[in-house]
Amino acid sequence: MNIRIILIIIVIIIAVVFLTGCWNYKEINQFIIVSGLAIDYSSVDDLYIVTIELINVSGGIDEQEAMSGETFESKGVSIFDAIRNMIGKAGRRLYWSDAAVVIISESIARKGIISALDVVIRGLEIRSDIFLLISKEDTAAEVLYTRDLRRQKVISYHIEDILQSQEETSKYFRVPTWIFVKNLYSSEINPTCPGIKLVTYNNTTFHQIGETAVFKKDQLIGWLNDENTKYFLWITDNLKEGVYSMNLEYDSSYYDVVFEIFSNQTTKKAQYIDDVLTVIIDVQTIVNIDEVVVGPNASSNENIDALEKIIESHIKKKIENLIHIVQNKYNSDILGLGMTIKKDMPELWKNEIKPKWDTTFPKLNTEVNVNIKPRRSSLTLRTIRVQD
Amino acid sequence: MFRIFKDKMLGKNSSTNQNYKLSKSIDKNIALFKEIFKEDETIIYRNFESKSKDSIKFCIIFDKNLSKMSSINDYVIKPITRKEFPNDMSAKKRIELLMSKILITCDNKLSSNTNDLISHILYGDSILLIDGVDQAIQICTKEWHQRAIDEPQAERAIRGPKEGFIESIDVNYTLIRRKIRSPNLKFIFKEVGDKTKTRICICYIDSLASEKVLKELYKRLDEIDIDGVLESGYIEELIKDSPLSPFKTIGNTERPDTVCAKILEGRIALIVDGTPNVLTLPYIFLEYFQVSEDYYTNFFYSSVNRALKYLGFFISTSIPAIYVALTTFHQEMIPTPLLLSISASREGVPFPTIVEALFMLLSFEILREGGIRLPSTVGSAISFVGAVILGEAAVSARFVSAPIVIIVALTGISNFLLPKMLGALILIRIIFLILSAFLGLYGYIFGVIGLFIHLFSMRSFGYPYMLNIDLLDDEEIKDTVIRAPWWLMHFRTRLIGSKNKERQKDYTISRRE
């Protein structure tokens, strides 16, 4: 009786220890942590070039020595092949779960980004929330090779830091790969992602994220410049907070007005009246007027109302301009207008619009309403003036 | 199984106690006691006679170290030697006269049971033998030295009484009696141990304590058949439920206020002579987390301390296991900066993480056990060696990595939040650690499930061990994870205090609000 129970317990322990699927014991120092990768394509020898940044953990209690990035490059007929070729150079097994960014060269993106993204999404170890960037330089590898030594020693994490502070600036946005791929799958929206370039100033090279890559299906077809990127964020309701500055004309003199965006809510609605399909874009922004250079007295209600009107019409014009560019220059629905129509009138979308969306989209009517609500005029009531 | 083994080893049952009988002749009786206390120089036989011509012979037998000689002189020998006994008095009358008029000590008893008499001599009482009587009088003359009432070292309190139990059952009795001055508080004395004849005292309030538990307790105490009981731990292990569990199902404390609080909740206390540790029962899991001071200080502060203790339980059992599981199986779960710093500190360390963890935990336990029984001057040297050698040197020599030192230190400190659970914590920690070294977080979760199945299956004298942990009744939660203010706790604990649930009348609350 007892012996039987003991035997059963032994069998269970053996089965649990040796037959379970989680038998992937690995010590933390048996692998090298990859922080980011860049993918290029060399048309000379028809090979993919994968550049990865590894974190060189030189053991030591000395904090200064704790870690630094180290860049490796290898080639292969496919990306996976190139990654496998890397192990010979890196020495240990690569650990991908903590990779933060994937940078893809513009040439691959123009040809079709799926060839590069497949391994990122399919791979077991790489997380699908890794941030996607398109290099505006000649190659993607350049971005990882350029070291900005004043800051983080690991470039990929430095780039990640820049992306994480998106909310404070609202000049660019971050796109995790899974969102990009989700947008690729859907017919109602085309994917976008930010670009990265190198800027040299005072003999130091910086990484700068900005502009927006416009995709049509999986191909890059052009860029939105920094200014339009802002309005793009405005329409897609990605604007969190940030600073907006504008020149405006009032009483036949020019003023610089700077305001801080507190919160923004953009709602899109589709309307079908008299056989005309219109997408209404409502922008509700709460701002705080930060800086008025030689301008009207910001505290008096009349002036604030006047200011509001001018700002509203200014922003409205800019947004309409962006929609115009997207509709006519690129003919790619990166704004998600199709999604709005599908949500509001699914039957219409399915039966009539979806099949000929390509030709309908450039002609789609839009209506932009901008509503700016200044909350307060910061601490001062009036602008600084030199006494006459 | 053990019983069969024991019977085989002993062959036959060993000899029973010889039963001596007192006779009417005093010389024979003295000879009998001299035979019993052979080669024992501390036993004094003092022969004396009464005043009259046909004097009656008396003999008083006592232990010179345990008895108070001056009271024997003044209250026994002196009055008897000055008294004349009429000749025609019968033996029965003589004893009556002695007991009522002559012996002016407070506690006298007539007895003919020699075993009883012997044990009384050895407990400091005197035996008075009278010629022509086949009985003897026990006279209470106990006196020995005992420790002063002191603050219990293991259960100190900042706020609260500073007195603790001592080794004498009589003093311990007074400490409890003085706090609860109610005739409902009952003390039942018993004796256990063939050789030691240790006195134990069962103490309860009869309008609160459950008869079922009392009956069960008597039954279990009667089943004890052991030669000696030197500490309450003997009795605890002999009568506890789930004897193989590392968890206590009978509590122990050195604080009289704690015992009284438990008696007032409907529990039963068991005082054992010769030890300051008083047992309380039934004992449930929650009582590990309750300290007497919780009830004396501000209830917010007490609730925070309670929460800390639960956290300490989690840290102490689980942190090493979770660390090993994360660093050897689930690196994906560690945030990148932490992963990097762990990776950096593991660089060049020769052992796997599990070996590191076991080694450090073992050395911590060695330090703890080594430090406990040393004089405090040497103890500080031990802790210094431990801190310097194990903490600093082991890391800089790349023997272990720095995070494991932090983990073990944290675990070790959390240990002491629950000093009564120490043994169980060590065992659980090692089991969890080994499970998670084999199976990662799966193993850890298996361990947790196993632990909870074990805890929930236990009972203490019929009461569920995890009482009040499994439900969120607004009345019962008042003394669990939080400690509600006294004016809100108007009921006793569920089940244990069910005989009389009302602790305070409702008006105290209405006055408050």
Side-chain angles (χ1 to χ4, degrees), chain B residues 110-247:
Chain B
L110 198 64
S111 172
S112 57
N113 180 348
T114 30
N115 286 333
D116 206 27
L117 292 172
I118 292 162
S119 83
H120 271 92
I121 293 174
L122 296 176
Y123 203 56
D125 286 341
S126 307
I127 300 294
L128 184 69
L129 298 173
I130 309 144
D131 197 17
V133 179
D134 59 352
Q135 278 172 313
I137 301 173
Q138 301 167 10
I139 303 162
C140 175
T141 52
K142 293 187 194 75
E143 191 198 53
W144 58 78
H145 292 287
Q146 61 202 21
R147 192 162 64 98
I149 293 176
D150 199 6
E151 189 179 4
Q153 297 297 309
E155 292 169 79
R156 283 164 184 271
I158 311 283
R159 174 157 183 188
K162 302 274 190 289
E163 61 185 10
F165 286 123
I166 61 165
E167 285 75 8
S168 158
I169 193 170
D170 297 313
V171 175
N172 292 349
Y173 160 86
T174 62
L175 289 174
I176 295 174
R177 176 58 99 188
R178 246 172 30 203
K179 281 185 197 292
I180 306 173
R181 293 187 304 180
S182 157
N184 284 341
L185 179 64
K186 304 292 180 201
F187 292 88
I188 312 291
F189 284 87
K190 286 175 86 74
E191 267 183 11
V192 287
D194 284 347
K195 296 269 185 297
T196 58
K197 304 234 187 299
T198 311
R199 286 163 77 210
I200 59 173
C201 170
I202 299 156
C203 166
Y204 60 94
I205 293 181
D206 65 354
S207 58
L208 290 178
S210 140
E211 285 93 3
K212 279 186 186 166
V213 176
L214 267 176
K215 216 175 124 193
E216 179 66 24
L217 177 64
Y218 285 134
K219 198 183 130 225
R220 290 186 194 181
L221 285 175
D222 288 341
E223 278 170 8
I224 294 178
D225 177 22
I226 193 171
D227 60 340
V229 171
L230 299 179
E231 216 273 344
S232 51
Y234 284 44
I235 293 177
E236 184 186 335
E237 280 195 7
L238 284 168
I239 67 171
K240 81 180 261 218
D241 298 76
S242 308
L244 290 175
S245 171
F247 289 94

Side-chain angles (χ1 to χ4, degrees), chain A residues 9-291:
Chain A
I9 290 171
I10 288 173
V11 166
I12 289 173
I13 288 175
I14 288 174
V16 161
V17 170
F18 293 107
L19 302 180
T20 44
C22 54
W23 186 251
N24 57 349
Y25 172 87
K26 52 185 190 287
E27 282 291 337
I28 215 162
N29 50 344
Q30 282 170 352
F31 48 75
I32 305 179
I33 299 160
V34 178
S35 59
L37 76 159
I39 302 170
D40 284 299
Y41 185 72
S42 149
S43 49
V44 184
D45 42 8
D46 258 6
L47 289 176
Y48 281 98
I49 307 167
V50 174
T51 312
I52 59 169
E53 190 187 23
L54 307 176
I55 299 177
N56 196 3
V57 182
S58 54
I61 314 166
D62 198 359
E63 282 163 30
Q64 306 247 303
E65 292 297 313
M67 59 178 186
S68 58
E70 202 178 349
T71 320
F72 283 93
E73 191 180 284
S74 81
K75 292 182 179 180
V77 283
S78 68
I79 293 170
F80 200 67
D81 186 36
I83 288 173
R84 272 293 140 104
N85 291 341
M86 188 84 65
I87 296 174
K89 290 181 188 173
R92 289 187 211 164
R93 182 181 161 173
L94 299 178
Y95 175 77
W96 293 89
S97 291
D98 280 298
V101 290
V102 51
I103 301 159
I104 291 170
S105 75
E106 199 174 333
S107 60
I108 292 183
R110 283 196 187 275
K111 264 183 15 197
I113 202 167
I114 288 180
S115 61
L117 278 190
D118 191 62
V119 77
V120 176
I121 290 297
R122 198 186 292 273
L124 266 178
E125 274 202 341
I126 301 182
R127 295 184 181 193
S128 51
D129 65 350
I130 181 171
F131 294 121
L132 183 69
L133 291 157
I134 305 289
S135 167
K136 290 214 78 182
E137 302 298 319
D138 295 339
T139 62
E142 259 173 85
V143 177
L144 287 188
Y145 272 116
T146 310
R147 234 149 250 284
D148 179 0
L149 289 175
R150 298 166 311 119
R151 299 213 184 88
Q152 267 228 30
K153 286 179 177 174
V154 183
I155 302 155
S156 308
Y157 291 158
H158 173 54
I159 295 171
E160 194 194 9
D161 286 348
I162 302 175
L163 285 169
Q164 294 287 9
S165 49
Q166 173 228 331
E167 274 90 357
E168 279 95 72
T169 58
S170 287
K171 285 191 170 150
Y172 48 85
F173 60 109
R174 49 172 194 260
V175 178
T177 313
W178 70 271
I179 288 185
F180 188 90
V181 173
K182 195 186 91 186
N183 290 349
L184 264 181
Y185 276 128
S186 81
S187 53
E188 302 97 46
I189 190 166
N190 273 321
T192 47
C193 78
I196 184 165
K197 63 185 172 189
L198 301 169
V199 183
T200 308
Y201 174 74
N202 269 0
N203 294 328
T204 317
T205 312
F206 299 91
H207 295 91
Q208 189 180 326
I209 294 171
E211 309 201 15
T212 303
V214 179
F215 283 80
K216 176 137 181 134
K217 301 295 163 200
D218 69 324
Q219 284 172 336
L220 178 77
I221 51 169
W223 295 85
L224 296 180
N225 63 16
D226 282 333
E227 196 195 351
N228 281 331
T229 301
K230 178 140 228 158
Y231 300 109
F232 173 72
L233 293 175
W234 225 314
I235 297 178
T236 50
D237 200 15
N238 277 322
L239 200 68
K240 296 284 170 0
E241 53 186 83
V243 172
Y244 183 83
S245 65
M246 56 184 278
N247 296 314
L248 60 90
E249 205 185 326
Y250 183 75
D251 278 355
S252 69
S253 53
Y254 284 94
Y255 302 104
D256 285 335
V257 175
V258 181
F259 56 83
E260 195 184 336
I261 297 159
F262 270 140
S263 71
N264 173 63
Q265 199 179 16
T266 307
T267 47
K268 284 176 279 200
K269 230 189 275 169
Q271 217 173 52
Y272 194 68
I273 301 167
D274 301 339
D275 283 358
V276 180
L277 182 65
T278 315
V279 175
I280 302 164
I281 300 166
D282 275 319
V283 177
Q284 294 261 355
T285 313
I286 297 171
V287 300
N288 187 13
I289 293 174
D290 264 359
E291 201 180 321

Side-chain angles (χ1 to χ4, degrees), chain B residues 265 290 294-295 299 306 475-480 482-493 501-505 508-509:
Chain B
E265 279 177 3
Q290 298 171 340
D294 284 354
Y295 300 93
F299 58 91
R306 287 267 170 93
E475 205 47 64
E476 300 304 335
I477 205 167
K478 283 176 183 168
D479 192 14
T480 55
I482 54 163
R483 200 279 283 175
W486 271 110
W487 41 268
L488 266 179
M489 289 200 277
H490 30 101
F491 291 115
R492 297 195 169 83
T493 323
K501 273 203 79 107
E502 197 173 54
R503 201 203 297 258
Q504 55 183 323
K505 296 263 185 303
T508 35
I509 317 147

Side-chain angles (χ1 to χ4, degrees), chain B residues 327-370:
Chain B
T327 55
T328 58
F329 287 92
H330 316 283
Q331 288 91 357
E332 296 85 1
M333 289 182 71
I334 309 176
T336 311
L338 185 60
L339 180 76
L340 290 170
S341 73
I342 293 174
S343 181
S345 63
R346 286 241 351 120
E347 199 66 39
V349 173
F351 306 112
T353 314
I354 171 70
V355 176
E356 269 186 291
L358 282 176
F359 169 75
M360 287 304 287
L361 284 174
L362 189 70
S363 40
F364 177 81
E365 295 307 335
I366 289 172
L367 278 173
R368 180 188 57 77
E369 185 60 26

Side-chain angles (χ1 to χ4, degrees), chain B residues 283-298:
Chain B
Y283 188 79
I284 58 173
F285 188 68
L286 271 178
E287 285 177 71
Y288 276 124
F289 302 91
Q290 298 171 340
V291 184
S292 62
E293 207 174 342
D294 284 354
Y295 300 93
Y296 308 149
T297 50
N298 178 283

